[in-house]
Amino acid sequence: MSTVLITGGSRGIGAAAVELFAQRGDTVYFLYEKNHDAANAVMQHTGATGICCDVADGEAVRSAFRQVGDVDTLICNAGICHTGLMSMMPEADWDRIFSVNVKGIYHCVNAAMESFLKKQRGCVITVSSMWGQVGASCEAAYSATKGAVISLTKALAKELGPAGIRVNCVAPGVILTDMCQNVDPEILNEMAQEAPVGRNGTPEDVAKAMAYLVDADFVTGHVLSVNGGYVI
């Protein structure tokens, strides 16, 4: 049994990951920013422990990790998106999406390092997106952050590998979460038809990919596409 910490664990992909790792018998903690009702529901359903924490706040992250103690696996899932023309995007929104999606990983990985280095082993899973691989119109900021996550993953895999720490990434495609609530159902259906497997993904699909990477002892620096073949 190991200790798993998942950021953004109160909804969507994060909640599915919390449930899966709890079912595996791991001790699971998750961070969430503000949705207390959703977090309480996940805690009651899975037995995991939720900690309210904005990953963009370095001191809040360090405080959360002090509550958790030793960590074996860190899953950096917290993320936000922004849809619209880049020319119309307020600078504060641009800064916020980078603070959560990229700097949040910086805070969490650094907070986990003491535990990892003490044991000379550890596993980090980051969450990018297929738009981080190929870019998406009207999602420039989101695509940029998710591209940064991929580069950061590969760099950290090289940097931390000698210390026994593996760093891998999942890059989901269209996953039916809250982020899809404002997307026209016809567009979602069209995207499902364009995927070779003929459907959009579920949070559970991504959680299973995360579990594979946690168990894959000889895999590091890898970006695992979980998109049904939409981007190959």
Side-chain angles (χ1 to χ4, degrees):
M1 183 173 69
S2 62
T3 299
V4 180
L5 176 60
I6 301 168
T7 70
S10 64
R11 292 158 42 179
I13 292 170
V18 170
E19 181 172 3
L20 178 58
F21 284 96
Q23 289 175 347
R24 284 160 50 109
D26 294 317
T27 300
V28 182
Y29 295 85
F30 67 92
L31 307 185
Y32 68 98
E33 184 187 357
K34 54 191 175 184
N35 195 327
H36 299 290
D37 289 341
N40 286 331
V42 171
M43 284 189 277
Q44 291 176 7
H45 179 64
T46 64
T49 300
I51 302 171
C52 186
C53 174
D54 179 0
V55 296
D57 182 337
E59 182 50 45
V61 169
R62 289 186 288 273
S63 175
F65 272 76
R66 286 193 292 269
Q67 294 179 58
V68 173
D70 281 347
V71 174
D72 299 297
T73 297
L74 169 63
I75 299 179
C76 297
N77 171 73
I80 57 176
C81 65
H82 182 281
T83 302
L85 296 172
M86 190 181 76
S87 60
M88 303 293 289
M89 184 178 186
E91 184 176 352
D93 290 350
W94 179 274
D95 290 342
R96 176 62 180 168
I97 194 171
F98 270 89
S99 291
V100 174
N101 293 7
V102 184
K103 197 172 184 179
I105 296 175
Y106 162 84
H107 289 316
C108 291
V109 171
N110 281 340
M113 285 305 297
E114 181 179 355
S115 179
F116 288 163
L117 291 175
K118 180 173 62 177
K119 294 178 287 190
Q120 286 292 290
R121 61 179 173 81
C123 175
V124 178
I125 308 292
T126 64
V127 179
S128 179
S129 164
M130 67 179 181
W131 300 137
Q133 297 172 298
V134 299
S137 175
C138 293
E139 292 194 58
Y142 182 76
S143 299
T145 63
K146 293 304 184 178
V149 169
I150 289 173
S151 294
L152 178 59
T153 298
K154 294 182 177 183
L156 286 177
K158 295 177 180 180
E159 183 174 316
L160 301 179
I165 303 164
R166 294 184 301 109
V167 188
N168 289 293
C169 177
V170 292
V174 180
I175 307 298
L176 299 176
T177 67
D178 292 349
M179 285 189 176
C180 293
Q181 284 183 342
N182 296 322
V183 180
D184 188 324
E186 290 188 10
I187 294 177
L188 289 175
N189 185 55
E190 289 173 3
M191 297 185 79
Q193 292 176 4
E194 290 180 36
V197 300
R199 68 174 177 87
N200 292 319
T202 67
E204 290 73 22
D205 291 323
V206 184
K208 290 175 183 177
M210 292 172 172
Y212 161 73
L213 290 173
V214 169
D215 293 338
D217 290 338
F218 198 56
V219 177
T220 195
H222 184 67
V223 180
L224 179 55
S225 296
V226 190
N227 61 43
Y230 190 92
V231 171
I232 295 178

